[in-house]
Amino acid sequence: MSEPTLLVLDADPSPRLGRLAGRVRVQYADEESLASQLPHAEVLLVWDFTSDAVRRAWPGEGPRPRWVHTPSAGVDRLLCPELIDSDTVVTNARGIFEAPIAEYVAALVLAMAKDLPGTLELQRQRRWRHREGLPVAGTRAAVVGAGPIGRTVAESLRALGVETAVVGRTARPGVHAGEDLDRLLTGADWVVCAAPLTDATRGMFDARRFALMRPSTRFINVGRGPLVDQNALVAALKERRLAGAALDVFETEPLPPDSELWDVPGLLVSPHMSGDTVGWRDRLGEQFVELFELWEAGKPLPNVVDKKRGYVPMHD
Amino acid sequence: MSEPTLLVLDADPSPRLGRLAGRVRVQYADEESLASQLPHAEVLLVWDFTSDAVRRAWPGEGPRPRWVHTPSAGVDRLLCPELIDSDTVVTNARGIFEAPIAEYVAALVLAMAKDLPGTLELQRQRRWRHREGLPVAGTRAAVVGAGPIGRTVAESLRALGVETAVVGRTARPGVHAGEDLDRLLTGADWVVCAAPLTDATRGMFDARRFALMRPSTRFINVGRGPLVDQNALVAALKERRLAGAALDVFETEPLPPDSELWDVPGLLVSPHMSGDTVGWRDRLGEQFVELFELWEAGKPLPNVVDKKRGYVPMHD
């Protein structure tokens, strides 16, 4: 019986696959060579998960891998109709990013409440100017996205004493239905977007929704850039209809140097790093190896994406 | 029976004492007039708690107030031997600053772990540079100061998953003795100073103790400036024997524009604001009014400072 072929859409640094030695034939592809290599692999590891090369190469000729794993939470860059309609199983990196992103959101909430950006700017100017912080305990948050990331964000905000509502597609215990979102936005001090990017969620934070928020509300996006109408957000910030915002994700990444987003008052820009803590690539590689061993043994895979919905459904 | 005289060492904005109308004669003093007014007051409210005028004026001639209240947690600016040896009762603002300071420390810990200062600097330069954050859960903190502030800081760090040891003067349940401090410093990712400034604690964070910390340790001072040998801290940061620090308090406040502290790499400077959240002055005023009503009714006062120790002892 011949070893299966694992095709890796590579990125620097490459995954450590040593444990799979002798059990798999590993081929490395880049964006250009991916299309020609796809027909010869049973498994595709989209190690360069920032690439949309799979979406572009998948519809071509020939057989396709039976399993595609992306070491990311979101699968929006990956999915195309042909992959969605195929029998190929898609898995994601559930379990790796939840806790780091929740800490990152807590960092943003606390930093904005205590005006750390203002403090750092005043320090740069060598100016001592006392200001009053905002209390965080007792404030209210709406977390949009009821997957494991949204829920872990909510837990971490609750640990800070923030009264936190989670909003998903449909109502479940502990989760508000999408119909409740507008009402929750009107009462929220913090709105955190941690939703998957799908046709149903694209552009969900638009001018109308920013208008529902209060001038004291702060908005945080750790989901995907296209969930937010960036122009509408900028307008709300400039007109002081919103107290502040922090974006970790953008329509275009990296954010171009000439983007107006870099210096909108009250807007904190970070380079898509909320989930990435020291050792994250190793953890992603280990997770893939574990999944590979299940697959090899013919066992059911965890983290299977509902391709039509565009995320891994929660079972509860 | 004549109304007692309440002398207020004033600061802008003045306390709201309207509820005491008709029950007390209120006199306002500034630093210059304090000495001449002290002999004529039963109660002194040190509303300008940043002043050391009381310490200077107290040893003068004439009778002295029987009760002195400072709307601050620390009493270090207030106490002089003559006040310590007198029968005058000193009370502080226990209960007001704990939760805000705990949130502020959590903000600093998370901001340093996620390199928010680096993110803001890169944003200013319009540069997209991905970095890896540090996890906070699972790290270790030593909180120095076992009063209500230190304990509340510890609770808030524990809520973030930080394994937190509290160090006080003597060992008690949940509190390490001062003798344990050096050992705890060697293992701490975070060292938080929330101790009262007394003869026993002045300069406790000196070159020797910074040398005990690891190059990955970050140090936070929300206590009082003189608890720290600033030069030793700067040297440790410059020689990268310490990963970072955040000072909210300084030997000299406001920190002079020409202080070298403003631009030490890895040092975050904030203007003594950790405990001050919107409405704090009102809360301090209300607390004094409540204490005054107890005093007026001849009831025991809470928050009584052990003047010899220099803080309000914990009873547990």
Side-chain angles (χ1 to χ4, degrees), chain B residues 229-262:
Chain B
D229 178 341
Q230 288 181 178
N231 292 333
L233 174 61
V234 169
L237 287 167
K238 286 190 171 171
E239 293 160 20
R240 304 202 180 269
R241 291 183 279 110
L242 214 58
L247 300 180
D248 189 53
V249 288
F250 302 87
E251 281 172 22
T252 306
E253 296 179 12
L255 189 65
D258 64 352
S259 168
E260 71 166 332
L261 293 177
W262 290 110

Side-chain angles (χ1 to χ4, degrees), chain A residues 103 123 126 130 137 257 267 276, chain B residues 103 126 130 137 257 267 276:
Chain A
E103 287 187 352
Q123 178 176 355
R126 296 174 161 260
H130 180 273
L267 178 59
D276 308 342
Chain B
E103 287 188 352
R126 296 174 161 262
H130 180 272
L267 178 59
D276 308 341

